[in-house]
Amino acid sequence: MIDVEALNCQELVELVTDFLEGALDERDLRAFERHLEHCDGCTEYLEQLRTTIRLTGSLTLDDLSTDAETTLLQAFRDWRRRDP
Amino acid sequence: MIPPDEELVAALRAGDENAFGAVVREWHASLLRVAQIFTPSRAVAEEVVQEAWLRVLGALDRFEGRSSLKTWVFRILVNTAKTRAQREGRTIPFSALQDAWRVPEPAVDAGRFLPDDHPLHPGGWAVPPRDLPEEQLLARETRERIAAAIEALPASQRAVISLRDVEGWTSEEVRNALDLSEVNQRVLLHRARARVRQALEDYLFPENP
């Protein structure tokens, strides 16, 4: 049973990033963990967030276009010939 | 892949083109994400990144190593992007970064929870999240949906989640590079992750209300 005096589900989901970042103070951390012990919905929410982070981490950002790279390398060559 | 700062800076100052090409490629996508916070289009963001690299070269001999080279390059990028926006008379949406917490944005739609005056579980789940089907998570289409959800984020959230979760930067690196407070960095990350999770759930459970 959910302890209605403590953190409710709607409040908990707003603390998930703070929890994962280790940014909760001791009191909030205790309330957070106590809530999870008896709440399947929030346990699943946290699990989904972790899954989201894991999947996001498997993506790669788009690569540099060769045009941009050529321009920059040319700029670098010009810079290399800079006045000492 | 990228050597430690001291080595890298020495190589760049010595005119090592391979070293320069390597950092340009390595950081490009992240630089572009950050530039897009301040620019109206991808094309302008590309130009800003180019301009920032030229400024980096111009200032490289004066780099003192008080921050990491990466942080320094991203700070130059942010300044370049801001200057450009100012020059073009555009309002800088940087306040969106600094004041992220001012506009509330729930991680989960309020309709998913029981009302505050519910006799048993005020604020408890009315429509709790369900187990995600593991086999579908690994499908390429799922990853494409996640990538699309990230693309659809507001630029400031997109930049933070790209650096933290895609590129694997630490929160400190992100804060330093974007000149963000700890709280704002976390708020932006929280919202970005919450929206991406929601997109994942919408995709896997399209029948949800």
Side-chain angles (χ1 to χ4, degrees):
Chain A
M1 270 293 122
I2 293 164
D3 176 10
V4 292
E5 298 306 311
L7 212 54
N8 71 34
C9 304
Q10 196 167 12
E11 290 161 347
L12 185 135
V13 297
E14 299 302 341
L15 296 179
V16 166
T17 303
D18 288 17
F19 171 73
L20 292 172
E21 299 273 291
L24 289 179
D25 63 33
E26 220 168 298
R27 209 180 118 259
D28 286 349
L29 180 62
R30 268 205 310 276
F32 190 98
E33 289 175 335
R34 220 169 37 231
H35 181 112
L36 282 185
E37 280 169 20
H38 48 56
C39 182
D40 292 344
C42 287
T43 303
E44 179 57 31
Y45 183 85
L46 178 61
E47 188 51 38
Q48 290 193 0
L49 233 283
R50 287 197 163 116
T51 300
T52 301
I53 295 165
R54 182 164 51 84
L55 292 174
T56 302
S58 73
L59 303 174
T60 45
L61 299 181
D62 34 0
D63 292 325
L64 177 60
S65 78
T66 21
D67 272 6
E69 194 180 336
T70 312
T71 312
L72 282 171
L73 285 177
Q74 189 51 51
F76 186 71
R77 277 177 219 125
D78 296 344
W79 170 80
R80 193 165 54 191
R81 286 192 295 266
R82 69 197 184 280
D83 297 328
Chain B
M1 199 179 324
I2 302 287
D5 261 16
E6 216 171 301
E7 227 175 283
L8 176 60
V9 172
L12 294 177
R13 282 180 179 154
D16 182 338
E17 200 174 304
N18 289 332
F20 182 69
V23 279
V24 162
R25 274 191 301 275
E26 181 77 13
W27 295 343
H28 185 75
S30 303
L31 287 166
L32 204 53
R33 291 296 166 108
V34 172
Q36 283 178 303
I37 299 173
F38 308 93
T39 54
S41 70
R42 161 125 185 179
V44 175
E46 296 264 13
E47 287 171 25
V48 166
V49 173
Q50 295 258 348
E51 196 181 326
W53 273 118
L54 300 182
R55 284 206 204 181
V56 165
L57 291 179
L60 190 60
D61 286 333
R62 297 190 301 275
F63 174 69
E64 288 173 6
R66 276 191 298 237
S67 64
S68 75
L69 185 72
K70 185 160 85 174
T71 297
W72 185 69
V73 167
F74 276 78
R75 292 297 275 267
I76 289 178
L77 173 80
V78 168
N79 288 330
T80 307
K82 284 184 182 172
T83 309
R84 167 121 185 199
Q86 233 158 24
R87 204 169 59 217
E88 292 173 1
R90 268 182 290 113
T91 39
I92 303 168
F94 203 58
S95 58
L97 265 182
Q98 299 302 346
D99 301 336
W101 51 275
R102 282 182 202 279
V103 187
E105 183 186 312
V108 177
D109 188 80
R112 296 281 295 270
F113 298 100
L114 298 167
D116 284 342
D117 58 359
H118 191 272
L120 286 176
H121 302 307
W125 289 101
V127 186
R130 289 182 283 156
D131 266 3
L132 298 174
E134 193 61 39
E135 66 286 0
Q136 249 181 297
L137 290 178
L138 303 170
R140 200 178 56 150
E141 193 179 349
T142 305
R143 291 178 41 192
E144 285 168 4
R145 292 300 177 115
I146 291 197
I150 291 173
E151 289 309 318
L153 293 171
S156 53
Q157 292 180 18
R158 189 169 63 226
V160 171
I161 199 173
S162 297
L163 299 178
R164 282 299 304 280
D165 291 344
V166 182
E167 297 288 274
W169 291 28
T170 65
S171 68
E172 196 188 357
E173 285 180 310
V174 173
R175 289 203 315 268
N176 288 339
L178 293 183
D179 198 13
L180 275 173
S181 74
E182 200 176 327
V183 169
N184 279 331
Q185 192 266 154
R186 218 157 47 227
V187 169
L188 289 166
L189 182 64
H190 180 63
R191 291 178 177 180
R193 285 173 173 176
R195 286 200 197 196
V196 175
R197 186 213 65 89
Q198 189 60 60
L200 181 65
E201 196 185 27
D202 290 346
Y203 168 61
L204 295 171
F205 300 115
E207 72 284 7
N208 259 5

